[in-house]
Amino acid sequence: QVQLVESGGGTVQPGDSLRLSCQASGGTFSNYVMGWFRQAPGKEREFVASISRSVFQYYAEFAKGRFTISTDNARNTVYLQMNSLKVEDTAVYYCAADPSRTGQFEYWGQGTLVTVSE
């Protein structure tokens, strides 16, 4: 059983930066595909970024050039560095794990709220 705990959310102004963290427990973290998703008020959850074997990174179009996903295998932690934040980045951000590397994220964290406002 994999457990994921996110942290780092908060309220910032447009243009600011924020780093989200997600600590995983259970299993061999370095083998997982890890991802970040988000859900804005009144909208469906959407993919933000994913990372595989600490090397292969994929980003949603809106995240390219502004967000960076990374891992620290020694700490079983995945990060999402978010720069140049916009009001439309306001959402609950979720960490997810795909231990089987099937493309299906089986485990999810509880989410951390990011609010970007003037």
Side-chain angles (χ1 to χ4, degrees):
Q1 186 77 8
V2 177
Q3 293 184 323
L4 304 172
V5 179
E6 301 103 331
S7 61
T11 299
V12 296
Q13 294 183 330
D16 285 352
S17 298
L18 206 59
R19 189 178 78 160
L20 306 182
S21 301
C22 172
Q23 186 162 28
S25 60
T28 307
F29 175 80
S30 60
N31 290 337
Y32 298 171
V33 176
M34 298 297 298
W36 286 96
F37 293 75
R38 71 183 187 183
Q39 187 167 19
K43 295 187 177 181
E44 294 188 355
R45 187 169 60 195
E46 63 180 348
F47 170 78
V48 177
S50 66
I51 187 167
S52 174
R53 302 193 186 278
S54 301
V55 176
F56 302 104
Q57 303 170 23
Y58 301 92
Y59 295 93
E61 281 299 319
F62 66 80
K64 290 179 180 178
R66 297 193 300 128
F67 295 1
T68 302
I69 189 170
S70 62
T71 56
D72 183 339
N73 290 333
R75 291 181 169 82
N76 284 2
T77 300
V78 58
Y79 302 99
L80 184 68
Q81 177 67 43
M82 303 186 293
N83 299 327
S84 302
L85 283 163
K86 304 176 182 180
V87 171
E88 52 264 42
D89 293 319
T90 295
V92 177
Y93 284 73
Y94 297 91
C95 172
D98 172 13
S100 303
R101 310 175 64 80
T102 62
Q104 299 297 321
F105 288 90
E106 301 174 46
Y107 299 98
W108 295 81
Q110 82 287 353
T112 185
L113 177 62
V114 173
T115 302
V116 185
S117 65
E118 299 284 354

